[in-house]
Amino acid sequence: MPFVHDGSTRKWWVLERLTELNLGVCQQHDLPSDDLLRIISELFEPDDFERQQQAEFGATHNRGCLADLNKLLKRQGLTAYLHDTGQCFVRNTGTGVDSTSISRLTRPLSKEEAEQRERLRAFLGSASEDEFTERVLLPYSNGSVSIA
């Protein structure tokens, strides 16, 4: 998402961003906006979530996080669940509509993302194998890729 924290209290800043996102497009009117569904899905992204949460809290923490999320969603007649693939989806408990049916269309790139994409394209078009290894592969293995 193309948001930059403005330094205000994080709790209120996040609430404002989530409120904005909730006003966005939704393919299923019985569910939250597509952007909020994408955020929930990404928060529970199997590889990232499992690795991070297990390292910090142990193997059973993901079920506790899902239970906490469901306490909040229940008020809106929604429930989140982990699919067999490990992905997190949201279901309306009244109508049965769930987010598995929502197409995962890519959103338009923000101005910053488009600029980053152009810089990456230019770099890849001119970089030697050694430059690519030093600036992309090695930092990627550490989780800190940045093509300026």
Side-chain angles (χ1 to χ4, degrees), residues 24-108:
V25 175
C26 64
Q27 295 179 43
Q28 291 287 342
H29 296 290
D30 293 343
L31 296 174
S33 73
D34 295 354
D35 285 335
L36 285 182
L37 294 172
R38 181 180 296 122
I39 288 171
I40 291 170
S41 179
E42 288 184 20
L43 286 172
F44 284 88
E45 207 306 299
D47 292 334
D48 294 337
F49 184 83
E50 294 285 332
R51 183 174 43 251
Q52 181 68 27
Q53 298 304 315
Q54 284 183 13
E56 291 183 25
F57 305 106
T60 60
H61 189 67
N62 61 346
R63 299 289 177 205
C65 291
L66 190 62
D68 289 345
L69 175 61
N70 278 323
K71 285 179 188 175
L72 299 172
L73 293 177
K74 184 177 181 179
R75 298 180 209 164
Q76 305 301 318
L78 302 168
T79 188
Y81 64 95
L82 296 177
H83 189 269
D84 293 340
T85 62
Q87 290 180 293
C88 185
F89 293 106
V90 175
R91 176 183 300 120
N92 182 302
T93 57
T95 64
V97 171
D98 69 27
S99 59
T100 58
S101 63
I102 294 177
S103 67
R104 299 289 175 215
L105 299 173
T106 57
R107 63 177 169 72

Side-chain angles (χ1 to χ4, degrees), residues 124-144:
L124 292 175
S126 65
S128 69
E129 186 176 332
D130 288 341
E131 289 173 313
F132 180 78
T133 300
E134 289 174 17
R135 293 190 59 197
V136 177
L137 295 181
L138 291 177
Y140 182 74
S141 67
N142 297 328
S144 61

